[in-house]
Amino acid sequence: AKRRARMSSVVFEPAMLERLREVSRLTSDLRQALDQNQFLVHYQPVVNMADGQISGLEALVRWQSPTRGLVPPAMFIPIAENSDLILALGDWVLRTATRDIAGRLDTLPADFELHVNVSARQLIQSDFIATLRHALQESGLPPGHLTLELTESVLIEQGGQTVERLRQIRNLGVKIAIDDFGTGYSSLSYLGTLPFDCLKIDKSFVDNICVSPQDTAVVAAVLHMARGFGVTAVAEGVETEDQARRLREMGCSHAQGYWFGRPVPLADIRWPGQ
Ligand code: C2E
Ligand code: CA
Ligand code: CA
Ligand code: CA
């Protein structure tokens, strides 16, 4: 009885009810947003530390809502992930980004990589490979120019089937990046069994690289491991010149962050020599 009393007092907390209402409003608005084409894709440069050139772009979705303004993904991706909405939205981002990039492939470097985020729910769909193949065919983007980003936690939670799915993706010629690396507590022995091409070092480690010997040691270890695995390391969330210099000194080959460029519409990307 005591327990029930405590639970009901939680359930009827006004702030919580309000939050539930807001989530359900967001969910129905999101559904409408898809039908009404209110989503946009912005692109953030991934740069090669050796020459400062753009080596790729990460596609990041935005919601231009008529009533809420420009909504950042942190506000709606988790909600979309709680329903099948993430499937339609994820598919839309994949098709839009591959089409955008295929459209200007003739002006891009030969080793250019488009990075697209994929959520757990998308990855485990039985038709995910068909969806991916379809996006590639429809856009004409050669698979070698596409990298799918999966968070470290997704790869752990999904367990055994994941490895097989990653192999299928790679068999298409598409590459795999482990996103937010260092935040998911994956065991190094498990990591060694995963097929992947790129490790993205989470911003939380990059933040303190100039002040914390511990975080610097973590980044150094991840860079060392990436070299051992023969994969590319990308430092995320680089905001200052000092961080960029430090990472370069440590032998980090690629980076991303506000210091190099914020996510912007494709037309606003400043390509070298333009
Ligand atoms: P993420 O994949 O880790 O993307 C990096 C996030 O860090 C982006 O936030 C980017 O704008 C931000 N960022 C980049 N450089 C800096 C920096 O120097 N400083 C700071 N403070 N932030 C920086 P954004 O665009 O708000 O996206 C947040 C998250 O939403 C993404 O994190 C990703 O998990 C998710 N997301 C975005 N687009 C998609 C999508 O199309 N599909 C899925 N499933 N998730 C997406
Ligand atoms: Ca990402
Ligand atoms: Ca990330
Ligand atoms: Ca993240």
Side-chain angles (χ1 to χ4, degrees):
K2 201 169 181 191
R3 185 169 156 190
R4 189 183 300 152
R6 202 185 307 139
M7 277 181 66
S8 57
S9 78
V10 168
V11 168
F12 292 109
E13 196 74 57
M16 211 179 155
L17 263 185
E18 189 42 48
R19 174 68 192 148
L20 283 173
R21 284 206 193 92
E22 171 62 5
V23 166
S24 94
R25 269 196 300 271
L26 266 170
T27 310
S28 67
D29 287 1
L30 277 173
R31 221 175 284 282
Q32 217 177 33
L34 259 176
D35 295 337
Q36 299 180 357
N37 282 312
Q38 293 169 9
F39 291 102
L40 306 169
V41 180
H42 282 184
Y43 295 90
Q44 185 180 35
V46 177
V47 303
N48 186 329
M49 294 287 249
D51 55 13
Q53 303 284 304
I54 295 177
S55 65
L57 294 175
E58 178 174 3
L60 294 158
V61 71
R62 269 93 185 92
W63 175 19
Q64 182 66 65
S65 157
T67 53
R68 300 163 188 273
L70 194 64
V71 187
M75 293 279 295
F76 64 88
I77 290 283
I79 290 170
E81 279 176 338
N82 279 329
S83 73
D84 281 351
L85 267 171
I86 193 64
L87 303 180
L89 180 58
D91 187 29
W92 180 85
V93 172
L94 187 62
R95 283 187 291 118
T96 303
T98 50
R99 197 196 326 113
D100 278 358
I101 297 306
R104 52 175 309 155
L105 205 58
D106 50 339
T107 66
L108 301 175
D111 57 354
F112 180 88
E113 298 281 337
L114 165 67
H115 286 240
V116 177
N117 294 286
V118 170
S119 76
R121 218 176 168 112
Q122 286 176 273
L123 185 70
I124 61 174
Q125 291 302 304
S126 57
D127 63 355
F128 180 72
I129 296 300
T131 303
L132 181 57
R133 197 184 279 128
H134 183 74
L136 290 167
Q137 270 163 6
E138 188 187 58
S139 65
L141 185 73
H145 289 294
L146 180 62
T147 298
L148 299 184
E149 296 197 356
L150 300 153
T151 61
E152 188 189 5
S153 49
V154 163
L155 297 179
I156 302 163
E157 283 157 25
Q158 303 309 318
Q161 285 176 319
T162 309
V163 179
E164 182 50 32
R165 189 41 59 93
L166 298 188
R167 286 212 187 91
Q168 293 169 333
I169 292 169
R170 272 180 136 200
N171 284 343
L172 290 180
V174 172
K175 298 189 185 72
I176 291 156
I178 303 186
D179 204 355
D180 300 348
F181 186 72
T183 62
Y185 310 102
S186 61
S187 76
L188 295 181
S189 59
Y190 177 60
L191 195 69
T193 69
L194 293 177
F196 65 95
D197 308 276
C198 172
L199 271 185
K200 299 191 75 172
I201 306 171
D202 194 69
K203 177 177 189 306
S204 55
F205 302 103
V206 174
D207 279 345
N208 301 319
I209 197 164
C210 297
V211 289
S212 156
Q214 284 83 3
D215 286 359
T216 306
V218 171
V219 172
V222 175
L223 291 173
H224 186 76
M225 197 177 66
R227 268 193 295 278
F229 281 160
V231 303
T232 309
V234 180
E236 294 195 273
V238 178
E239 292 182 342
T240 69
E241 185 171 20
D242 283 349
Q243 289 169 343
R245 188 188 310 116
R246 190 86 187 80
L247 286 161
R248 200 177 292 113
E249 284 165 4
M250 292 171 76
C252 181
S253 65
H254 292 78
Q256 198 178 344
Y258 292 173
W259 173 252
F260 301 105
R262 289 180 179 253
V264 289
L266 187 61
D268 296 351
I269 293 286
R270 273 170 296 138
W271 300 97
Q274 284 182 4

